Amino acid sequence: MGPSRRRLGNYPGQVSNETPRDGDLLVRIGAIVFLVGAVATLATVAPLFLGADPLPPAAYFVCMLMGLGFLIAGAGVLQSIAAQRRQARASVTATAPAPSSAAR
């Protein structure tokens, strides 16, 4: 690495400068919970196709995490929508002209 190429920081690649918004954390958590439920669904359905003994009922309850993850992610999206609407309303009211008394 020559003197013309300086490395800034300790990061090996690009770093995003985007700040997290309202609802982003819920969407990420919902996606992880959904993926855990999807893997559990595949694990519980596979023995049925392979002719093996089915898994215990607790494994089928873990499959319900798929729907729960979907609901959590949906709540995050709705929270994000509400925050964007609040921000849009605030910017409209801040730029709106004040009513003048000469209009009477």
Side-chain angles (χ1 to χ4, degrees):
M1 188 150 96
S4 63
R5 292 186 60 191
R6 275 190 344 167
R7 197 170 122 183
L8 301 173
N10 295 324
Y11 301 107
Q14 295 280 338
V15 177
S16 173
N17 60 354
E18 186 176 325
T19 59
R21 296 186 181 136
D22 290 343
D24 284 354
L25 183 62
L26 279 178
V27 171
R28 288 180 181 165
I29 291 171
I32 291 169
V33 171
F34 181 86
L35 288 175
V36 169
V39 169
T41 301
L42 291 174
T44 54
V45 172
L48 301 175
F49 289 115
L50 300 174
D53 291 334
L55 294 175
Y60 290 96
F61 287 117
V62 176
C63 295
M64 293 183 194
L65 288 177
M66 225 163 96
L68 180 64
F70 188 77
L71 288 175
I72 292 171
V77 169
L78 291 176
Q79 187 178 13
S80 176
I81 290 170
Q84 288 177 6
R85 291 182 79 182
R86 280 192 304 270
Q87 184 181 11
R89 281 190 195 129
S91 67
V92 166
T93 57
T95 60
S100 64
S101 60
R104 292 182 184 214

Coordinates of all heavy atoms in Angstrom, one line a residue:
M1 N 0.8 -1.2 0.0 CA 0.0 0.0 0.0 C 0.9 1.2 0.0 O 1.7 1.4 0.9 CB -0.9 -0.1 1.2 CG -1.9 1.0 1.2 SD -3.4 0.4 2.1 CE -3.2 1.1 3.7
G2 N 0.8 2.0 -1.0 CA 1.7 3.2 -1.2 C 1.2 4.3 -0.4 O 0.1 4.3 0.2
P3 N 2.0 5.4 -0.4 CA 1.6 6.6 0.4 C 0.4 7.3 -0.2 O -0.3 8.1 0.5 CB 2.8 7.5 0.3 CG 3.6 7.0 -0.8 CD 3.3 5.5 -1.0
S4 N 0.1 7.1 -1.5 CA -1.1 7.8 -2.1 C -2.4 7.1 -1.7 O -3.5 7.8 -1.9 CB -0.9 7.8 -3.6 OG -1.0 6.4 -4.1
R5 N -2.4 5.9 -1.2 CA -3.6 5.2 -0.8 C -3.7 5.1 0.7 O -3.1 4.2 1.2 CB -3.7 3.9 -1.5 CG -3.9 3.9 -3.0 CD -4.1 2.6 -3.5 NE -5.3 2.0 -2.9 CZ -5.7 0.7 -3.1 NH1 -4.9 -0.1 -3.8 NH2 -6.8 0.3 -2.5
R6 N -4.4 6.0 1.3 CA -4.5 6.0 2.7 C -5.8 5.2 3.1 O -6.8 5.3 2.4 CB -4.7 7.4 3.3 CG -3.4 8.0 3.6 CD -3.5 9.3 4.3 NE -4.9 9.8 4.3 CZ -5.2 10.8 5.2 NH1 -4.4 11.3 6.0 NH2 -6.5 11.3 5.1
R7 N -5.7 4.5 4.1 CA -6.9 3.8 4.6 C -7.5 4.5 5.8 O -6.9 4.7 6.8 CB -6.5 2.4 5.0 CG -7.7 1.4 5.1 CD -7.2 0.1 5.3 NE -7.8 -0.4 6.5 CZ -7.6 -1.6 7.1 NH1 -6.7 -2.4 6.5 NH2 -8.2 -1.9 8.2
L8 N -8.8 4.9 5.6 CA -9.4 5.7 6.7 C -10.2 4.7 7.5 O -11.1 4.0 7.0 CB -10.4 6.7 6.1 CG -9.7 7.8 5.2 CD1 -10.7 8.6 4.5 CD2 -8.7 8.6 6.0
G9 N -10.0 4.7 8.8 CA -10.8 3.9 9.7 C -10.3 2.4 9.7 O -9.3 2.1 9.1
N10 N -11.1 1.6 10.3 CA -10.7 0.2 10.4 C -11.6 -0.7 9.6 O -11.6 -1.9 9.7 CB -10.8 -0.3 11.9 CG -9.8 0.4 12.7 OD1 -8.7 0.7 12.3 ND2 -10.2 0.7 14.0
Y11 N -12.4 -0.1 8.7 CA -13.4 -0.9 8.0 C -12.8 -1.3 6.6 O -12.2 -0.5 5.9 CB -14.7 -0.1 7.7 CG -15.3 0.4 9.0 CD1 -15.3 1.7 9.4 CD2 -16.0 -0.6 9.8 CE1 -15.8 2.1 10.6 CE2 -16.5 -0.2 11.0 CZ -16.5 1.1 11.4 OH -17.1 1.5 12.6
P12 N -13.0 -2.6 6.3 CA -12.4 -3.1 5.0 C -13.1 -2.6 3.8 O -12.6 -2.6 2.7 CB -12.4 -4.6 5.1 CG -13.6 -4.8 6.1 CD -13.6 -3.6 7.0
G13 N -14.4 -2.2 3.9 CA -15.2 -1.8 2.7 C -15.9 -0.6 2.9 O -15.6 0.3 3.8
Q14 N -17.0 -0.4 2.1 CA -17.8 0.8 2.1 C -18.6 0.8 3.4 O -19.1 -0.2 3.9 CB -18.7 0.8 0.9 CG -18.0 1.0 -0.4 CD -17.7 2.4 -0.7 OE1 -18.2 3.3 -0.1 NE2 -16.7 2.6 -1.5
V15 N -18.8 2.0 4.0 CA -19.7 2.1 5.1 C -20.8 3.0 4.8 O -20.6 4.1 4.2 CB -18.8 2.8 6.3 CG1 -19.7 3.0 7.5 CG2 -17.7 1.9 6.7
S16 N -22.0 2.6 5.1 CA -23.2 3.4 4.8 C -23.3 4.6 5.8 O -23.1 4.4 7.0 CB -24.5 2.5 5.0 OG -25.6 3.3 4.8
N17 N -23.6 5.7 5.3 CA -23.8 6.9 6.2 C -25.3 7.2 6.4 O -25.7 8.2 6.9 CB -23.2 8.1 5.6 CG -23.7 8.5 4.2 OD1 -24.5 7.7 3.7 ND2 -23.3 9.6 3.7
E18 N -26.2 6.2 6.1 CA -27.6 6.4 6.3 C -27.9 6.0 7.7 O -27.5 5.0 8.3 CB -28.3 5.4 5.3 CG -29.8 5.6 5.4 CD -30.5 4.7 4.4 OE1 -30.0 4.5 3.3 OE2 -31.6 4.2 4.7
T19 N -28.7 6.9 8.3 CA -29.1 6.7 9.7 C -30.3 5.8 9.8 O -31.2 5.8 8.9 CB -29.4 8.0 10.4 OG1 -30.5 8.7 9.7 CG2 -28.2 8.9 10.5
P20 N -30.4 4.9 10.8 CA -31.6 4.1 10.9 C -32.8 4.9 11.2 O -32.8 5.9 11.9 CB -31.3 3.2 12.1 CG -30.1 3.8 12.8 CD -29.4 4.7 11.9
R21 N -33.9 4.5 10.6 CA -35.2 5.2 10.7 C -36.1 4.4 11.6 O -35.9 3.3 12.0 CB -35.8 5.4 9.4 CG -35.0 6.2 8.4 CD -35.8 6.5 7.1 NE -35.0 7.3 6.3 CZ -34.8 7.1 5.0 NH1 -35.5 6.1 4.4 NH2 -34.1 7.9 4.2
D22 N -37.2 5.1 12.0 CA -38.2 4.4 12.8 C -38.7 3.2 12.1 O -39.1 3.2 10.9 CB -39.4 5.4 13.1 CG -39.1 6.5 14.0 OD1 -38.0 6.4 14.7 OD2 -39.8 7.5 14.1
G23 N -38.8 2.1 12.8 CA -39.3 0.9 12.2 C -38.3 -0.1 11.6 O -38.6 -1.2 11.3
D24 N -37.1 0.4 11.3 CA -36.1 -0.4 10.7 C -35.7 -1.6 11.6 O -35.5 -2.7 11.1 CB -34.8 0.4 10.4 CG -34.9 1.3 9.2 OD1 -36.0 1.2 8.5 OD2 -34.0 2.1 8.9
L25 N -35.6 -1.4 12.9 CA -35.2 -2.5 13.8 C -36.3 -3.5 13.8 O -36.0 -4.7 13.8 CB -35.0 -1.9 15.2 CG -34.5 -2.9 16.2 CD1 -33.2 -3.6 15.8 CD2 -34.4 -2.3 17.6
L26 N -37.6 -3.1 13.8 CA -38.7 -4.1 13.8 C -38.7 -4.9 12.5 O -38.9 -6.1 12.6 CB -40.0 -3.4 14.0 CG -40.4 -3.0 15.4 CD1 -41.7 -2.3 15.4 CD2 -40.5 -4.2 16.3
V27 N -38.4 -4.3 11.4 CA -38.3 -5.0 10.1 C -37.2 -6.0 10.2 O -37.4 -7.2 9.7 CB -38.2 -4.0 9.0 CG1 -37.9 -4.8 7.7 CG2 -39.4 -3.2 8.8
R28 N -36.1 -5.7 10.7 CA -34.9 -6.6 10.7 C -35.2 -7.8 11.7 O -34.9 -8.9 11.4 CB -33.7 -5.9 11.2 CG -33.1 -5.0 10.1 CD -31.9 -4.3 10.5 NE -31.4 -3.4 9.4 CZ -30.6 -2.5 9.6 NH1 -30.0 -2.3 10.8 NH2 -30.2 -1.7 8.6
I29 N -35.8 -7.5 12.8 CA -36.1 -8.5 13.8 C -37.2 -9.4 13.2 O -37.1 -10.7 13.3 CB -36.6 -7.9 15.1 CG1 -35.4 -7.3 15.8 CG2 -37.2 -9.0 16.0 CD1 -35.8 -6.5 17.1
G30 N -38.2 -8.9 12.5 CA -39.2 -9.7 11.9 C -38.7 -10.6 10.8 O -39.1 -11.7 10.7
A31 N -37.7 -10.1 10.0 CA -37.1 -10.9 9.0 C -36.3 -12.1 9.6 O -36.4 -13.2 9.1 CB -36.2 -10.1 8.1
I32 N -35.6 -11.8 10.7 CA -34.9 -12.9 11.3 C -35.8 -14.0 11.9 O -35.6 -15.2 11.7 CB -34.0 -12.4 12.4 CG1 -32.8 -11.5 11.8 CG2 -33.4 -13.5 13.3 CD1 -32.0 -10.7 12.8
V33 N -36.9 -13.5 12.6 CA -37.9 -14.4 13.1 C -38.6 -15.2 12.0 O -38.8 -16.4 12.1 CB -38.9 -13.7 14.0 CG1 -40.1 -14.6 14.4 CG2 -38.2 -13.1 15.2
F34 N -38.9 -14.5 10.9 CA -39.5 -15.2 9.8 C -38.6 -16.3 9.2 O -39.0 -17.4 8.9 CB -39.8 -14.2 8.7 CG -40.5 -14.8 7.5 CD1 -41.8 -15.0 7.4 CD2 -39.7 -15.2 6.4 CE1 -42.4 -15.5 6.3 CE2 -40.3 -15.7 5.3 CZ -41.7 -15.9 5.2
L35 N -37.3 -16.0 9.1 CA -36.3 -17.0 8.6 C -36.2 -18.2 9.5 O -36.1 -19.3 9.0 CB -35.0 -16.3 8.3 CG -34.9 -15.4 7.1 CD1 -33.6 -14.7 7.0 CD2 -35.2 -16.1 5.8
V36 N -36.2 -18.0 10.8 CA -36.1 -19.1 11.8 C -37.4 -20.0 11.6 O -37.3 -21.2 11.5 CB -36.0 -18.6 13.2 CG1 -36.2 -19.7 14.2 CG2 -34.7 -17.9 13.4
G37 N -38.5 -19.3 11.4 CA -39.7 -20.1 11.2 C -39.7 -20.8 9.9 O -40.2 -22.0 9.7
A38 N -39.1 -20.2 8.8 CA -39.1 -20.9 7.5 C -38.1 -22.1 7.6 O -38.5 -23.2 7.0 CB -38.6 -19.9 6.5
V39 N -37.0 -22.0 8.3 CA -36.1 -23.1 8.4 C -36.8 -24.2 9.2 O -36.7 -25.4 8.9 CB -34.8 -22.7 9.1 CG1 -34.0 -23.9 9.5 CG2 -34.0 -21.8 8.1
A40 N -37.5 -23.9 10.3 CA -38.3 -24.9 11.0 C -39.4 -25.5 10.2 O -39.6 -26.8 10.3 CB -38.9 -24.2 12.3
T41 N -40.0 -24.8 9.3 CA -41.0 -25.4 8.4 C -40.4 -26.4 7.5 O -40.9 -27.5 7.3 CB -41.7 -24.3 7.6 OG1 -42.3 -23.4 8.5 CG2 -42.8 -24.9 6.7
L42 N -39.2 -26.1 6.9 CA -38.5 -27.0 6.1 C -38.1 -28.2 6.8 O -38.2 -29.4 6.3 CB -37.3 -26.3 5.4 CG -37.6 -25.3 4.4 CD1 -36.3 -24.6 3.9 CD2 -38.3 -25.9 3.2
A43 N -37.6 -28.1 8.1 CA -37.2 -29.2 8.9 C -38.4 -30.1 9.3 O -38.2 -31.3 9.4 CB -36.5 -28.7 10.1
T44 N -39.5 -29.5 9.5 CA -40.7 -30.4 9.9 C -41.3 -31.0 8.7 O -42.0 -32.1 8.8 CB -41.7 -29.6 10.6 OG1 -42.1 -28.4 9.9 CG2 -41.2 -29.1 12.0
V45 N -41.2 -30.4 7.5 CA -41.9 -31.0 6.3 C -41.0 -32.1 5.7 O -41.5 -33.1 5.1 CB -42.2 -29.9 5.3 CG1 -42.7 -30.5 4.0 CG2 -43.3 -29.0 5.9
A46 N -39.7 -31.9 5.8 CA -38.7 -32.9 5.2 C -38.9 -34.3 5.6 O -38.9 -35.2 4.7 CB -37.3 -32.4 5.5
P47 N -39.1 -34.6 6.9 CA -39.3 -36.1 7.2 C -40.6 -36.7 6.6 O -40.6 -37.9 6.3 CB -39.5 -36.1 8.7 CG -38.8 -34.8 9.2 CD -39.0 -33.8 8.1
L48 N -41.6 -35.8 6.3 CA -42.8 -36.3 5.6 C -42.5 -36.8 4.2 O -43.1 -37.8 3.7 CB -43.9 -35.3 5.6 CG -44.3 -34.8 7.0 CD1 -45.3 -33.6 6.9 CD2 -44.9 -35.9 7.9
F49 N -41.6 -36.1 3.5 CA -41.3 -36.5 2.1 C -40.2 -37.6 2.1 O -40.1 -38.3 1.1 CB -40.8 -35.3 1.4 CG -41.8 -34.3 1.0 CD1 -41.8 -33.0 1.6 CD2 -42.9 -34.6 0.2 CE1 -42.8 -32.1 1.3 CE2 -43.9 -33.7 -0.1 CZ -43.8 -32.5 0.4
L50 N -39.4 -37.7 3.1 CA -38.3 -38.7 3.2 C -38.8 -40.0 3.8 O -38.0 -40.9 3.8 CB -37.1 -38.1 4.0 CG -36.5 -36.8 3.4 CD1 -35.4 -36.3 4.3 CD2 -35.9 -37.1 2.0
G51 N -40.0 -40.0 4.3 CA -40.5 -41.3 4.9 C -40.0 -41.5 6.3 O -40.1 -42.6 6.8
A52 N -39.4 -40.5 6.9 CA -38.9 -40.7 8.3 C -40.0 -40.4 9.3 O -41.1 -40.0 8.9 CB -37.7 -39.8 8.5
D53 N -39.7 -40.6 10.5 CA -40.7 -40.3 11.6 C -40.8 -38.8 11.7 O -39.9 -38.1 11.6 CB -40.2 -40.9 12.9 CG -40.2 -42.4 13.0 OD1 -41.0 -43.0 12.2 OD2 -39.4 -43.0 13.7
P54 N -42.1 -38.4 11.9 CA -42.3 -36.9 12.1 C -41.6 -36.4 13.3 O -41.4 -37.1 14.3 CB -43.8 -36.8 12.1 CG -44.4 -38.1 12.3 CD -43.3 -39.1 12.0
L55 N -41.4 -35.1 13.3 CA -40.8 -34.5 14.5 C -41.8 -34.3 15.6 O -43.0 -34.3 15.3 CB -40.2 -33.1 14.0 CG -39.0 -33.2 13.1 CD1 -38.6 -31.8 12.6 CD2 -37.8 -33.9 13.7
P56 N -41.4 -34.0 16.8 CA -42.3 -33.8 17.9 C -43.1 -32.5 17.7 O -42.7 -31.6 16.9 CB -41.4 -33.7 19.1 CG -40.0 -33.4 18.6 CD -40.0 -34.0 17.2
P57 N -44.3 -32.4 18.3 CA -45.1 -31.3 18.2 C -44.5 -29.9 18.4 O -44.9 -28.9 17.9 CB -46.3 -31.5 19.1 CG -46.3 -33.0 19.4 CD -44.9 -33.4 19.2
A58 N -43.5 -29.9 19.3 CA -42.8 -28.6 19.6 C -42.2 -28.0 18.3 O -42.2 -26.8 18.2 CB -41.7 -28.8 20.7
A59 N -41.7 -28.9 17.4 CA -41.1 -28.4 16.2 C -42.2 -27.7 15.3 O -41.9 -26.7 14.6 CB -40.5 -29.5 15.4
Y60 N -43.4 -28.2 15.4 CA -44.5 -27.5 14.6 C -44.9 -26.2 15.2 O -45.3 -25.3 14.4 CB -45.7 -28.5 14.5 CG -45.4 -29.7 13.7 CD1 -45.0 -30.9 14.2 CD2 -45.5 -29.6 12.3 CE1 -44.8 -32.0 13.4 CE2 -45.3 -30.7 11.5 CZ -44.9 -31.9 12.1 OH -44.6 -33.0 11.3
F61 N -44.7 -26.0 16.5 CA -45.0 -24.7 17.1 C -43.9 -23.7 16.7 O -44.2 -22.5 16.5 CB -45.1 -24.8 18.6 CG -46.3 -25.5 19.1 CD1 -46.3 -26.7 19.8 CD2 -47.6 -25.0 18.8 CE1 -47.4 -27.3 20.2 CE2 -48.7 -25.6 19.2 CZ -48.7 -26.8 19.9
V62 N -42.7 -24.1 16.5 CA -41.7 -23.2 16.0 C -42.0 -22.7 14.6 O -41.6 -21.6 14.2 CB -40.3 -23.9 16.1 CG1 -39.2 -23.0 15.6 CG2 -40.0 -24.3 17.5
C63 N -42.7 -23.5 13.8 CA -43.1 -23.1 12.5 C -43.9 -21.8 12.5 O -44.0 -21.1 11.6 CB -43.8 -24.2 11.8 SG -42.8 -25.6 11.4
M64 N -44.7 -21.6 13.6 CA -45.5 -20.5 13.7 C -44.7 -19.2 13.8 O -45.3 -18.1 13.7 CB -46.4 -20.6 14.9 CG -47.4 -21.7 14.8 SD -48.5 -21.8 16.2 CE -49.3 -23.4 16.0
L65 N -43.4 -19.3 14.0 CA -42.6 -18.1 14.1 C -42.6 -17.4 12.7 O -42.3 -16.2 12.6 CB -41.2 -18.4 14.5 CG -41.0 -18.8 15.9 CD1 -39.5 -19.1 16.2 CD2 -41.4 -17.6 16.8
M66 N -42.9 -18.1 11.6 CA -42.9 -17.5 10.3 C -44.0 -16.4 10.3 O -43.8 -15.3 9.8 CB -43.2 -18.6 9.3 CG -42.4 -18.5 8.1 SD -42.4 -20.0 7.1 CE -43.6 -19.7 5.9
G67 N -45.2 -16.7 10.7 CA -46.3 -15.8 10.7 C -46.0 -14.6 11.7 O -46.3 -13.5 11.4
L68 N -45.4 -15.0 12.9 CA -45.1 -13.9 13.9 C -44.1 -13.0 13.3 O -44.2 -11.7 13.5 CB -44.6 -14.6 15.1 CG -44.2 -13.6 16.3 CD1 -45.4 -12.9 16.7 CD2 -43.5 -14.4 17.4
G69 N -43.1 -13.5 12.6 CA -42.0 -12.6 12.0 C -42.6 -11.7 10.9 O -42.3 -10.5 10.8
F70 N -43.6 -12.2 10.2 CA -44.3 -11.4 9.2 C -45.0 -10.3 9.8 O -45.0 -9.1 9.4 CB -45.2 -12.3 8.4 CG -45.8 -11.6 7.2 CD1 -45.1 -11.4 6.0 CD2 -47.2 -11.2 7.2 CE1 -45.7 -10.8 5.0 CE2 -47.7 -10.6 6.2 CZ -47.0 -10.3 5.0
L71 N -45.7 -10.6 11.0 CA -46.5 -9.5 11.7 C -45.5 -8.5 12.3 O -45.8 -7.3 12.2 CB -47.3 -10.2 12.8 CG -48.5 -10.9 12.3 CD1 -49.2 -11.6 13.5 CD2 -49.5 -10.0 11.6
I72 N -44.4 -8.9 12.8 CA -43.4 -8.0 13.4 C -42.9 -7.0 12.3 O -42.8 -5.8 12.5 CB -42.3 -8.7 14.1 CG1 -42.8 -9.4 15.4 CG2 -41.2 -7.8 14.5 CD1 -41.8 -10.4 16.0
A73 N -42.5 -7.6 11.2 CA -42.0 -6.8 10.1 C -43.1 -5.9 9.5 O -42.8 -4.7 9.2 CB -41.5 -7.7 8.9
G74 N -44.3 -6.3 9.5 CA -45.4 -5.4 9.1 C -45.6 -4.3 10.0 O -45.9 -3.1 9.6
A75 N -45.5 -4.5 11.3 CA -45.6 -3.5 12.3 C -44.4 -2.5 12.1 O -44.6 -1.2 12.3 CB -45.5 -4.0 13.7
G76 N -43.2 -2.9 11.8 CA -42.1 -2.0 11.5 C -42.4 -1.2 10.3 O -42.0 0.0 10.3
V77 N -43.0 -1.7 9.2 CA -43.3 -1.0 8.0 C -44.3 0.1 8.3 O -44.2 1.2 7.9 CB -43.8 -1.9 6.9 CG1 -44.4 -1.1 5.7 CG2 -42.6 -2.8 6.4
L78 N -45.4 -0.3 9.1 CA -46.4 0.7 9.5 C -45.8 1.8 10.4 O -46.2 3.0 10.2 CB -47.5 0.0 10.2 CG -48.4 -0.9 9.4 CD1 -49.4 -1.6 10.2 CD2 -49.0 -0.2 8.2
Q79 N -44.9 1.5 11.2 CA -44.2 2.5 12.1 C -43.4 3.4 11.2 O -43.4 4.6 11.4 CB -43.3 1.8 13.1 CG -42.8 2.8 14.1 CD -41.9 2.1 15.2 OE1 -41.6 0.9 15.0 NE2 -41.6 2.8 16.2
S80 N -42.7 2.9 10.2 CA -41.9 3.7 9.3 C -42.8 4.6 8.5 O -42.5 5.8 8.3 CB -41.1 2.8 8.3 OG -40.5 3.5 7.4
I81 N -44.0 4.1 8.0 CA -44.9 4.9 7.3 C -45.4 6.1 8.1 O -45.5 7.2 7.7 CB -46.1 4.1 6.7 CG1 -45.6 3.1 5.6 CG2 -47.3 4.9 6.3 CD1 -46.6 2.1 5.3
A82 N -45.8 5.8 9.4 CA -46.3 6.8 10.3 C -45.2 7.9 10.5 O -45.6 9.1 10.5 CB -46.7 6.2 11.6
A83 N -44.0 7.5 10.7 CA -42.9 8.5 10.9 C -42.7 9.4 9.7 O -42.5 10.6 9.8 CB -41.6 7.8 11.3
Q84 N -42.8 8.8 8.5 CA -42.6 9.6 7.3 C -43.8 10.5 7.1 O -43.6 11.7 6.6 CB -42.5 8.6 6.1 CG -41.2 7.9 6.0 CD -41.1 7.0 4.8 OE1 -42.0 6.9 4.0 NE2 -40.0 6.2 4.8
R85 N -45.0 10.1 7.4 CA -46.1 11.0 7.3 C -46.0 12.2 8.3 O -46.3 13.3 8.0 CB -47.4 10.2 7.6 CG -47.7 9.3 6.4 CD -49.0 8.6 6.7 NE -50.1 9.5 6.3 CZ -51.4 9.2 6.4 NH1 -51.7 8.0 6.9 NH2 -52.3 10.0 6.0
R86 N -45.6 11.9 9.6 CA -45.3 13.0 10.5 C -44.3 13.9 10.0 O -44.5 15.2 10.2 CB -44.9 12.4 11.9 CG -46.0 11.8 12.7 CD -45.5 11.5 14.1 NE -44.4 10.6 14.2 CZ -44.4 9.3 14.3 NH1 -45.6 8.7 14.3 NH2 -43.3 8.6 14.4
Q87 N -43.2 13.4 9.4 CA -42.2 14.3 8.9 C -42.7 15.1 7.8 O -42.4 16.3 7.7 CB -41.0 13.4 8.5 CG -39.8 14.2 8.0 CD -38.7 13.4 7.5 OE1 -38.8 12.2 7.3 NE2 -37.5 14.0 7.3
A88 N -43.5 14.6 6.9 CA -44.1 15.3 5.8 C -45.0 16.4 6.2 O -45.0 17.5 5.7 CB -44.8 14.4 4.8
R89 N -45.8 16.1 7.2 CA -46.7 17.1 7.8 C -46.0 18.2 8.4 O -46.4 19.4 8.3 CB -47.7 16.5 8.8 CG -48.8 15.7 8.2 CD -49.8 15.3 9.2 NE -50.7 14.3 8.7 CZ -51.0 13.2 9.3 NH1 -50.5 12.9 10.4 NH2 -51.9 12.4 8.7
A90 N -44.9 17.9 9.1 CA -44.1 18.9 9.8 C -43.4 19.9 8.8 O -43.4 21.1 9.0 CB -43.1 18.3 10.7
S91 N -43.0 19.3 7.7 CA -42.3 20.1 6.7 C -43.3 21.0 5.9 O -43.0 22.1 5.5 CB -41.5 19.3 5.7 OG -42.4 18.5 4.9
V92 N -44.6 20.5 5.8 CA -45.6 21.3 5.1 C -46.0 22.5 6.0 O -46.2 23.6 5.5 CB -46.8 20.4 4.7 CG1 -48.0 21.3 4.3 CG2 -46.4 19.5 3.6
T93 N -46.2 22.2 7.3 CA -46.6 23.3 8.2 C -45.5 24.3 8.4 O -45.8 25.5 8.6 CB -47.1 22.7 9.5 OG1 -46.1 22.0 10.1 CG2 -48.3 21.9 9.3
A94 N -44.3 23.9 8.3 CA -43.1 24.8 8.5 C -43.0 25.7 7.3 O -42.5 26.8 7.4 CB -41.9 24.0 8.7
T95 N -43.3 25.2 6.1 CA -43.2 26.1 4.9 C -44.4 26.8 4.4 O -44.4 27.6 3.5 CB -42.7 25.2 3.7 OG1 -43.7 24.2 3.5 CG2 -41.3 24.6 4.0
A96 N -45.5 26.5 5.1 CA -46.8 27.2 4.7 C -46.7 28.7 5.1 O -46.3 29.0 6.2 CB -48.0 26.5 5.4
P97 N -47.2 29.6 4.3 CA -47.2 31.0 4.6 C -48.2 31.3 5.7 O -49.3 30.7 5.8 CB -47.6 31.7 3.3 CG -48.4 30.6 2.5 CD -47.8 29.3 2.9
A98 N -47.9 32.2 6.5 CA -48.8 32.6 7.6 C -49.9 33.4 7.0 O -49.8 34.2 6.1 CB -48.0 33.5 8.6
P99 N -51.2 33.2 7.5 CA -52.3 33.9 7.0 C -52.2 35.4 7.4 O -51.8 35.8 8.5 CB -53.5 33.3 7.7 CG -52.9 32.6 8.9 CD -51.5 32.3 8.6
S100 N -52.5 36.2 6.4 CA -52.3 37.7 6.6 C -53.7 38.3 6.9 O -54.7 37.8 6.6 CB -51.8 38.4 5.3 OG -52.7 38.2 4.3
S101 N -53.6 39.4 7.6 CA -54.9 40.1 8.1 C -55.4 41.0 6.9 O -56.5 41.4 7.0 CB -54.7 40.9 9.3 OG -53.7 41.8 9.1
A102 N -54.7 41.2 5.9 CA -55.1 42.0 4.8 C -56.1 41.3 3.9 O -56.7 41.9 3.0 CB -53.9 42.5 4.0
A103 N -56.3 40.0 4.0 CA -57.2 39.3 3.1 C -58.6 39.5 3.5 O -59.5 39.0 2.8 CB -56.8 37.8 3.2
R104 N -59.0 40.2 4.6 CA -60.3 40.4 5.0 C -61.0 41.3 4.1 O -61.4 42.0 3.6 CB -60.4 40.9 6.4 CG -59.9 39.9 7.4 CD -60.1 40.4 8.7 NE -59.6 39.5 9.7 CZ -60.0 39.3 10.9 NH1 -61.0 40.0 11.3 NH2 -59.5 38.5 11.7

